Amino acid sequence: DVDVEWACSMYFERACRAARCGVFDVLGHPDVIKVFGARLPAGPATLGRYEEHCDALASAASVSGTCLEVSSAGLRRPAREPYPGMVLLKRARKRGVGITLASDAHEPEEVGSHYDELVEWARTAGYSNVNVFDGRVATEVGIGRGSPE
């Protein structure tokens, strides 16, 4: 058995390093540690530590200009919610961190899956724009409704 608190600490420490380094345009699956449904135990102390992890990652991404990928992959996994979760996404929005939308399709039928849910997830966190890339140059565009073309 792996200690979930330890695993989360190690995961977010490495994710912060990746976001801070400035090499990446987008940090995909920024809280993928929840992929198998493992969560920190409920309670004020663990919630506080999780929020600290989210704050640290949002801050690192903000400083480097790294976007976070909002992905529907988690909806198809035991996590049962998009990556990132709402706590991290709201903290990223507060710090001005840009986002992209993705389905992380591994099969043709997964392309664009749950697009409307991703749009709503991002809007709930306060986003009205997403970043699209041409090469490594980001352009911010308004979030639309309906499936992507």
Side-chain angles (χ1 to χ4, degrees), residues 46-125:
T46 54
L47 177 59
R49 283 194 294 279
Y50 180 73
E51 290 173 342
E52 288 172 11
H53 293 317
C54 290
D55 284 336
L57 184 51
S59 177
S62 175
V63 167
S64 65
T66 303
C67 293
L68 297 185
E69 176 192 69
V70 179
S71 170
S72 64
L75 293 167
R76 301 187 306 272
R77 307 282 186 269
R80 297 317 222 189
E81 70 176 7
Y83 305 120
M86 193 54 67
V87 171
L88 175 53
L89 194 58
K90 283 184 176 181
R91 284 181 165 61
R93 175 66 188 113
K94 185 177 179 181
R95 293 187 182 271
V97 175
I99 61 169
T100 63
L101 299 181
S103 55
D104 187 30
H106 290 235
E107 302 294 333
E109 60 272 9
E110 294 173 345
V111 173
S113 83
H114 301 284
Y115 180 78
D116 289 336
E117 290 171 68
L118 286 185
V119 167
E120 195 54 41
W121 194 254
R123 287 183 189 277
T124 298

Side-chain angles (χ1 to χ4, degrees), residues 27-42:
L27 189 61
H29 303 350
D31 61 352
V32 75
I33 192 162
K34 68 185 179 188
V35 69
F36 296 110
R39 307 284 176 149
L40 287 171

